[in-house]
Amino acid sequence: MERELHEDRLYLEAFRRGHNDALKLVYECYVPALGKYLRGGFSTTSDGRSLRIEVEDPVERLNVVQETFAKALLEKIGSPTMVIVPTRPYLLRICRNLAIDRVRARQR
């Protein structure tokens, strides 16, 4: 499905303009992967310490996923430079950073 999104010129233009159907399609395409990524967890290093980050709470997981899309999509809508649909690695990176930020905020 990802490949099809990148190849459909009408869809890409609708996405760039922020049309709801196009945004919904991107959301539905990537939500399962982001949720699975957060549920499975990942390792990172922060302040010289190794951390294992897993988002077990389904509500928190959904919040992180929604924040990911808000950051990736809503800030870019209408931007003349935003001509492609966000890719899985781009969204995973945002998702990862948001999860790390939440852990850091809780530690403070």
Side-chain angles (χ1 to χ4, degrees):
M1 185 167 166
E2 288 179 53
R3 184 172 175 86
E4 294 170 16
L5 295 180
H6 287 85
E7 293 174 355
D8 184 338
R9 290 186 182 272
L10 291 175
Y11 168 77
L12 291 172
E13 183 58 26
F15 174 81
R16 191 182 71 74
R17 292 182 183 275
H19 290 205
N20 287 338
D21 289 343
L23 296 173
K24 181 180 175 193
L25 187 60
V26 169
Y27 185 83
E28 290 173 350
C29 179
Y30 292 111
V31 162
L34 295 177
K36 183 177 179 181
Y37 177 72
L38 291 170
R39 190 173 45 253
F42 57 90
S43 297
T44 189
T45 304
S46 178
D47 299 325
R49 297 178 309 173
S50 293
L51 298 173
R52 179 78 184 155
I53 297 176
E54 296 172 17
V55 183
E56 295 177 8
D57 178 33
V59 173
E60 184 176 5
R61 205 167 38 240
L62 181 59
N63 287 338
V64 173
V65 169
Q66 289 178 346
E67 284 181 55
T68 298
F69 281 97
K71 190 168 186 73
L73 302 178
L74 298 179
E75 293 176 359
K76 305 297 184 188
I77 292 172
S79 168
T81 59
M82 184 62 173
V83 295
I84 61 169
V85 175
T87 62
R88 183 183 306 259
Y90 176 71
L91 291 171
L92 287 173
R93 174 58 68 180
I94 292 171
C95 189
R96 175 187 177 91
N97 290 342
L98 289 170
I100 291 168
D101 289 347
R102 283 175 175 255
V103 168
R104 285 182 181 153
R106 280 195 300 264
Q107 290 177 345
R108 289 185 188 137

